[in-house]
Amino acid sequence: MENDRDEVVQGYRLPEIIDHTPKQKQRFPPILIDTKAEKLFTDAGIARRYVALSYVWGNVKTLKTSKLNFRELQEPGSLSLRSDVPRVIKDAMKFTRLLGETYLWVDALCIIQDGDGLQGYLYQMHMV
């Protein structure tokens, strides 16, 4: 397990671990990545512990959740089967599991990028 952790974090700056366990039930964020089922998970407003990944997308084409692919990304294994999931997200999923956690929040996948509520999410980013 230690070797797996070292392999994942090599080349990345280790984050400060902050406990973001919700103190009260809240609806944000409504979409998380279930790292064990390797799919998007909608929690219907139930507060859950999660790890958040913040990174710069850069100028490369990256997989983003859209209205068109949202249902597909909710299928078990969908994130492990796709070749267009960025390595940083795959590594974060593995690292989340190594931490003993299940859920991960990544803006590119956990916000429907062409959705009606995009502006609302941008104003709530401090809650992530």
Side-chain angles (χ1 to χ4, degrees):
M1 194 72 106
E2 184 79 22
N3 289 339
D4 286 342
R5 181 184 178 277
D6 291 342
E7 178 186 324
V8 171
V9 299
Q10 185 176 5
Y12 294 105
R13 186 181 62 143
L14 283 176
E16 178 182 347
I17 304 296
I18 301 171
D19 185 359
H20 284 291
T21 304
K23 306 298 184 245
Q24 58 192 17
K25 289 190 176 190
Q26 57 187 0
R27 292 192 53 85
F28 190 80
I31 301 171
L32 295 167
I33 296 171
D34 180 329
T35 63
K36 293 180 180 173
E38 298 184 328
K39 68 181 189 95
L40 292 185
F41 173 77
T42 56
D43 70 355
I46 298 170
R48 300 188 185 277
R49 275 176 60 105
Y50 61 92
V51 174
L53 171 66
S54 177
Y55 73 104
V56 177
W57 295 359
N59 291 329
V60 296
K61 185 176 179 181
T62 187
L63 174 65
K64 299 175 198 140
T65 299
S66 67
K67 292 176 186 177
L68 288 174
N69 67 9
F70 181 54
R71 293 279 179 234
E72 174 190 339
L73 296 175
Q74 292 179 71
E75 294 295 321
S78 61
L79 295 176
S80 61
L81 298 174
R82 295 184 64 111
S83 62
D84 57 349
V85 176
R87 179 165 180 210
V88 67
I89 294 176
K90 287 183 177 183
D91 286 350
M93 290 171 61
K94 185 174 184 179
F95 191 64
T96 298
R97 289 190 302 268
L98 290 171
L99 289 172
E101 299 294 338
T102 300
Y103 301 103
L104 172 67
W105 185 90
V106 179
D107 59 355
L109 296 179
C110 297
I111 297 173
I112 299 174
Q113 299 297 316
D114 59 353
D116 299 330
L118 181 59
Q119 282 301 109
Y121 286 113
L122 296 177
Y123 291 117
Q124 296 180 42
M125 292 302 289
H126 66 283
M127 294 175 63
V128 173

